[in-house]
Every structure is written in C-alpha cells, then in structure tokens.
Amino acid sequence: VQLQASGGGLVQAGGSLSLSCAASGRTFSSYYMGWFRQAPGKEREIVAAISWGGGSFYYADSAKDRFTVSRDNFKNTMYLQMNNLQPEDTAVYYCAAGPGTTIVAVRYDYWGQGTQVTVSS
C-alpha cells in the first residue's frame, strides 16, 4: 500500500489542523493505521492509532482530549484532527499502515512521506 500524508502547515498556538492520509494499492481496510510524529533531535513517537474498522483507538497521553483519529475505508483515507495545538506539537507527522494491533513504529510495514506541522507561540 502507498500512503500520502497531507494537511500540515503553520498555525498559532491554540489553533487547529486536520491531517489526511490517502492510501492506494492493497486493501486499506485490512490495515491497522497509525499517526506518528518526529521532532528534530527526537525519536519518532506514536500519536494515535485506529483499528481496521475504526471502532478501536489509541492515543498517546500528549494527544488525548485534543486529537481525534478517524478513517473512511470507502475513501481509503485516515484523518487526524488536531485541536488546541501547542509549540511542543511541532514535528513531522507520518501516517503508517500495519497488519496488526500495535503502537510500535518498527511493526508498521508502510509509511507515508510525512507532513510538517509547525506551531508558533
């Protein structure tokens, strides 16, 4: 499966952004999907993940109550709605697809190219 992340940009603290991850190739609905981010000098970390049918979710503590992950299997697209963004959310955001329920980056098989999110104070 090929993944294309989009929707990043520059926003002021307290603002919102909506990221999209469009998938093509093999059956999108057969993949567990995740959003990761990587800030300069830091390791890649999980932000949120969503199950095949969209009924089960995982959120990192930093994302709880501010971010919402969703997917539309008919459109082969996953989304990440990010509200109340803070400077510490600044990072490159990646979407990823994997065969199983996991929040570990190395267990995801396919990755998008990343989209930059920059939050100014």
Side-chain angles (χ1 to χ4, degrees):
V1 63
Q2 293 79 43
L3 303 175
Q4 179 78 31
S6 62
L10 173 64
V11 65
Q12 290 187 332
S16 298
L17 282 174
S18 181
L19 305 184
S20 297
C21 176
S24 60
R26 302 181 69 179
T27 306
F28 175 73
S29 61
S30 66
Y31 290 96
Y32 192 83
M33 300 293 296
W35 284 103
F36 291 77
R37 68 186 183 186
Q38 188 165 18
K42 295 187 177 181
E43 293 187 355
R44 190 169 298 190
E45 62 177 5
I46 183 77
V47 176
I50 187 167
S51 62
W52 303 267
S56 179
F57 315 94
Y58 170 86
Y59 291 98
D61 288 343
S62 60
K64 288 178 181 177
D65 301 323
R66 299 189 301 130
F67 295 2
T68 302
V69 62
S70 61
R71 67 190 293 169
D72 186 334
N73 288 341
F74 292 104
K75 295 182 178 180
N76 288 355
T77 304
M78 175 179 63
Y79 306 95
L80 184 68
Q81 176 64 40
M82 304 186 294
N83 298 326
N84 191 24
L85 283 161
Q86 300 299 315
E88 53 266 34
D89 295 314
T90 295
V92 177
Y93 283 69
Y94 299 89
C95 58
T101 304
T102 181
I103 60 172
V104 180
V106 295
R107 295 179 180 171
Y108 283 78
D109 296 327
Y110 304 99
W111 291 83
Q113 85 290 359
T115 185
Q116 176 71 47
V117 172
T118 303
V119 185
S120 63
S121 58

